[in-house]
Amino acid sequence: QTGPVIDMPVPASFNDITQDPSLENYIGWVWYEKEVLLPLRWLQDDLNTRVVLRFGSAHYYSIVWVNGVQVVEHEGGHLPFEADISSIVQGSPGIPCRITVALNNTLTPHTLPPGSIQYMNDKTRYPKNYFVQNIRFDFFNYAGIHRPVVLYTTPSVYIDDITVTTTSSESVAMVQYQVSVVGSTLYSLSLSLRDQEGKVVATGDGPAGELKVLNPKLWWPYLMHENPGYRYSLEVKMQAQANGVLLEDVYTLPVGIRTVHVTSTQFLINGKPFYFHGVNKHEDADVSVQRPCHYPYAEEIMDLCDAYGIVVIDECPGVGIKMPESFGNKSLQHHLVVMEELIRRDKNRPSVVMWSVANEPASELPPAAYYFKTVIAHTKALDPSRPVTFVTDANYALDRGAPYVDVICVNSYFSWYHDPGHLEVIPLQLTTQFENWYKTYQKPIIQSEYGADSVPGLHSDPPLMFSEEYQKAMLREYHSVFDKKKKEYVIGELIWNFADFMTNQGTTRVLGNKKGIFTRQRQPKSAAFVLRERYWKIANESSCLPPIIKSHTLFL
């Protein structure tokens, strides 16, 4: 016996698909089920073919069965997981494959992001067993199977993982690689690196080595080069004997050759100073609800960032870590696993120049020191090639995690959450913020969030809060300070937010957060034109290319 059964698209968030308010705010278990017919050729060569079921992401706790047999259990949203289902589906050609998923979106103090369930026990005010899901982050807790679900095959001996890092000078680049093969220890590997014209520029063999590329074409951010986002193709071919049959697995990985380096005042890409200017971005909309920022983005979007030269600060779902119990060993161990999953997914992307392990945690709490020291050290051990940060809104003198980051990322909302309506305090407060952080840590600083809500079409002269004019005026006050401090140690500015997005209902939220420079329907507000003019100016200052308008940076 089940509850109500309805059709549900995948990928999607189930909250906004219907007009049912109980589903909009539902907390607990939901069930998905679908039957598919697999190709006969997948099922007949059962000794040498491996059938895999892959989920791009599901929020947040998933248990998956195939034909009634449990195949995988996964904790956490936003990142992929998969299961080998060969033994279950092979040997039964022509019989539908039934995929069943139980999904629970409950957040606890030990999940990422964290949350808590609060039962309302006053029977004079609430129905029996009434509870609410409390969260400490400002976006709607969408749930469902949020990324594509695919079935694919490999040989029984297969390429499981590839890791690529690069170094370069003007005339030569080195591409270091490691290849993991699963299913046998008896195999051969050959590698070919091709340019975009298909010419082989380097070859190698074996599970680890180095490819030498003469006169390399580097991966550059948009507008830093006339040919941004250049990627080579690394073809990895494996051959192995198994069960008297020659097996072959081939995987082609796009490779961007670029370096990243951080000094006390600069962020260097390929040895040249890079200034982050772009947006923070949630990806919900009226007609397409998905959940990417303060968490990893969809892989399709990451592909576009690689191809177009859009720089990404890749952030795990560590948002809203506020409760003391969220800094304990249980939370820490899960956080380490999440970083492993994120790095495994995105480590080979040239667009990803820095990892972020959290957003606005309670980093002033005593256990935050050990917690972030451990998470950041683990992240660096997994990937020594990139700097690591987390985004803070704590006081510079109290932050216990900041000593361990490579770049200071700070969020502040002067004249909004602090001294609301008083634009005149921004120059002093923002300048003091930067000077205090730099004096304390001698590390480059990114203003990782700033902004103001504006209701589209609401106008006021003089500028008053929530008007489009106030949003523009706040941005300009911030920009005047950025222009002074970027000559010293400020290396970036990221507006909050690209577009309006949904939040929980509340007395300060009118159908969500209105800090977007675009509406939730992706129409520009007045502030969008202020940002376009500014980013055009910044791009022209650092480039001899024709001025083209486009954001450089995404904070995901």
Side-chain angles (χ1 to χ4, degrees), residues 232-251:
Y232 293 84
S233 295
L234 179 64
E235 182 186 86
V236 182
K237 182 181 293 185
M238 183 229 63
Q239 291 185 327
Q241 287 284 342
N243 304 308
V245 178
L246 178 63
L247 302 180
E248 186 173 271
D249 192 17
V250 179
Y251 192 90

Side-chain angles (χ1 to χ4, degrees), residues 491-503:
I491 61 168
E493 57 191 73
L494 301 174
I495 186 71
W496 186 268
N497 192 285
F498 168 75
D500 294 344
F501 57 91
M502 190 53 67
T503 65

Side-chain angles (χ1 to χ4, degrees), residues 1 14 27 30 35 55 107 160 209 212 216 287 289 320 340 353 380 405 407 414-415 420 474-475 524 533-534 536:
Q1 185 176 359
F14 62 69
I27 302 295
V30 296
E35 290 189 344
F55 289 77
L107 297 177
D160 179 60
K212 185 177 182 180
V287 295
V289 179
E340 290 168 9
V353 300
K380 286 178 172 290
V405 302
V407 173
F414 303 124
S415 86
M474 174 190 269
L475 265 56
E533 180 180 351
R534 176 167 180 79
W536 189 339

Side-chain angles (χ1 to χ4, degrees), residues 282-339:
H282 284 294
E283 192 84 342
D284 65 353
D286 288 346
V287 295
S288 176
V289 179
Q290 303 171 13
R291 294 301 318 154
C293 171
H294 293 338
Y295 35 76
Y297 241 51
E299 291 168 90
E300 296 85 349
I301 299 297
M302 300 296 285
D303 289 341
L304 290 174
C305 291
D306 286 339
Y308 283 94
I310 300 174
V311 168
V312 174
I313 301 170
D314 207 351
E315 189 164 84
C316 85
V319 56
I321 307 175
K322 301 290 190 181
M323 297 173 284
E325 55 266 48
S326 296
F327 289 92
N329 285 335
K330 185 174 181 180
S331 298
L332 177 58
Q333 292 308 309
H334 177 53
H335 203 148
L336 299 180
V337 171
V338 169
M339 292 311 302

Side-chain angles (χ1 to χ4, degrees), residues 280 282 497-501 513 515-520 522:
N280 294 272
H282 284 294
N497 192 285
F498 168 75
D500 294 344
F501 57 91
N513 189 305
K515 290 187 181 67
I517 58 172
F518 291 86
T519 68
R520 198 165 183 239
R522 303 319 193 243

Side-chain angles (χ1 to χ4, degrees), residues 344-361:
R344 179 180 171 93
R345 195 194 78 163
D346 290 345
K347 62 187 174 184
N348 295 319
R349 295 189 176 278
S351 62
V352 175
V353 300
M354 184 159 57
W355 305 112
S356 174
V357 301
N359 178 77
E360 295 186 353

Side-chain angles (χ1 to χ4, degrees), residues 29-90:
W29 289 101
V30 296
W31 293 75
Y32 289 77
E33 191 162 79
K34 183 177 180 63
E35 290 189 344
V36 295
L37 280 172
L38 303 182
L40 286 176
R41 66 181 182 277
W42 289 17
L43 310 177
Q44 291 169 338
D45 188 10
D46 56 347
L47 289 177
N48 297 314
T49 300
R50 174 175 167 266
V51 182
V52 182
L53 173 63
R54 184 184 193 270
F55 289 77
S57 79
H59 286 49
Y60 284 92
Y61 192 88
S62 308
I63 307 174
V64 183
W65 295 262
V66 173
N67 294 342
V69 178
Q70 184 175 327
V71 295
V72 67
E73 202 167 330
H74 184 260
E75 181 179 359
H78 313 287
L79 291 165
F81 59 97
E82 63 183 30
D84 184 337
I85 64 171
S86 310
S87 62
I88 299 170
V89 299
Q90 289 173 337

